[in-house]
Amino acid sequence: MSDEQPPAALTIAGSDSGGAAGLEADLRTFLTCGVHGLVAVTAVTVQNTLGVHDRSDVPARVVAGQIEAVAADMGLQAAKTGMLASAEIIRAVARACEDAGIGGENGVPFVVDPVAASMHGTPLFDDAGLTALRDDLLPRATAVTPNLDEVRLLTGIEVTRRERMRDAAVALHELGPRHVLVKGGHLADDPECVDLLYDGTTFTELRGPRLDTPHTHGAGDAMASAFTAGLARGMPVAEAARLGKWYVGNAVRHSYPMGAKVGPVSAFWRIAEENRS
Ligand code: PXL
């Protein structure tokens, strides 16, 4: 046995029965980044590569209870959100995080991944959820990690060229998060995959090649959870964001087909690379 506790991170997220995205992706990423994963489940989706066929939301009281229970006893060094399902759950999460010292001015680092829709385009919260996310949760975030669809929903800004990402980052920063990471992966005409990090003063580009694979399910979750794992390990925000970018690039490079449509990004790329050397 070890006398030393590893760093721990909490994911507040929904379950994907297909095992590609959601809390399943987050826990795998935490594991492969050397971080113990704690969980507050928000919803159970009935899902495969053909779509989200059904779902059951966890009562807001139980979501908040999970956050309170693990924070009170187990200790955590970072937290993230994924699918939050409803305005009621978002407000309960914001309150529980405030009470548990997650996010805000002096709390543990808190990554809000504003997951708005599933891979298949099924909304994962409604308009009231968007308002609650903007008003209650973003002001608590250490970093928010939207893709360009989520940028449009949160700010109304339509980013069609890389240069516009700066305006989007500034508009998002005004909503209260300390850092904004705008992900440029959806700019299909861009030969590179460039994400933009903004801390209210400085813009930092995180560059990566555009990889040619249809199998990208869970990429956003892998990015946000590797970023969170870096924060749990004590990295400064920019270094943790670079870890997220590096991790997801490798996970996409090792993605595989599974099911009839979009397959998952790989969580075993680190193991595969170790076995090769
Ligand atoms: O990738 C975003 C995401 C997060 N959480 C759940 C999901 C998805 C996408 O399908 O199903 C539960």
Side-chain angles (χ1 to χ4, degrees), residues 13-16 21-24 43 45 47 52 82-83 113 115 117-120 124 217-221:
S15 164
D16 165 14
L23 68 88
E24 290 78 9
T45 67
Q47 182 173 174
V52 177
M83 171 186 179
D113 187 14
V115 173
S118 79
M119 180 89 226
H120 330 82
L124 295 179
H217 196 188
D221 313 66

Side-chain angles (χ1 to χ4, degrees), residues 57-72:
D57 295 352
V58 172
R61 169 184 58 81
V62 178
V63 177
Q66 294 170 83
I67 297 169
E68 286 153 17
V70 296

Side-chain angles (χ1 to χ4, degrees), residues 228-241:
T228 305
L231 294 171
R233 300 189 68 126
M235 291 177 187
V237 170
E239 189 183 340

